[in-house]
Each structure stands twice: as C-alpha cells, then as structure tokens.
Amino acid sequence: MVMSKQQANVGNGAVGQSWEEVERELFTPEEIAASDLRVELICALIEARKEQGITQKQLEELSGVKQPVIARMESGASTPKISTLLRLLAPLGKKLAVVPLQ
C-alpha cells in the first residue's frame, strides 16, 4: 500500500512531522532555495545527457570532466563549480542562463 506524505505523518508521534516542516526548522529559506536550485540544475543536466543517449563516460570524453566527478555530481555527493557545469553543458547543447525568479 502506498501512502501519501500526509497519511504517513498521521499518528506517528515524535516522527509526525513532514519533511517540509523539518526542513523549515533546520534550514534558512536561503539554504532551502539554494538546495532546490542545485537539485533542479543537476536534474536538468542528467535529463539532457540521457535525452542525447550519452553515458557519463562519453560526456567525460566530450567535456574533459572526469567520469567520477560527473557521477558524484549527479548523485548529489558533490557540488560542482560553475566552470565545471559550463564544460558539461556545452557538449549537451545547453547553456546556463540567469532568469527572473517565478
């Protein structure tokens, strides 16, 4: 049986808070926004790589960024520098853009 977050939080006693509630208690709004942006950016990079049918190893060959670095970045284990992102995006036909917040 699959439960929604709300159903899972009902009657859990000390564990009754949702992740969003815990997140708001532990992190500042700025930290949450930065994390959300990082996740969105990495997901877009992974999606672009997969859309083109490119493996991490192939992206290494195209970008010069080592495959283990790409793997750590895609898994969320490391935060890439902007210069690294630019090197990865170019062979995928993408660019980094600054746009207004929604």
Side-chain angles (χ1 to χ4, degrees), residues 45-65:
L45 178 72
I46 293 168
E47 183 178 322
R49 181 177 64 75
K50 289 184 175 182
E51 280 176 355
Q52 293 192 21
I54 297 173
T55 66
Q56 290 178 351
K57 187 65 176 170
Q58 290 168 321
L59 186 54
E60 172 187 32
E61 294 165 4
L62 295 168
S63 68
V65 176

Side-chain angles (χ1 to χ4, degrees), residues 18-93:
S18 71
W19 167 246
E20 289 80 13
E21 291 170 327
V22 173
E23 184 179 49
R24 283 192 300 271
E25 289 177 14
L26 296 176
F27 302 104
T28 66
E30 293 81 12
E31 290 171 321
I32 293 169
S35 176
D36 290 347
L37 179 59
R38 182 172 158 259
V39 167
E40 184 179 343
L41 185 58
I42 297 305
C43 286
L45 178 72
I46 293 168
E47 183 178 322
R49 181 177 64 75
K50 289 184 175 182
E51 280 176 355
Q52 293 192 21
I54 297 173
T55 66
Q56 290 178 351
K57 187 65 176 170
Q58 290 168 321
L59 186 54
E60 172 187 32
E61 294 165 4
L62 295 168
S63 68
V65 176
K66 296 292 185 190
Q67 184 275 329
V69 173
I70 296 169
R72 285 192 299 273
M73 186 186 64
E74 288 189 1
S75 72
S78 69
T79 302
K81 295 180 182 180
I82 291 177
S83 59
T84 303
L85 282 172
L86 295 175
R87 288 173 59 196
L88 293 169
L89 290 171
L92 297 172

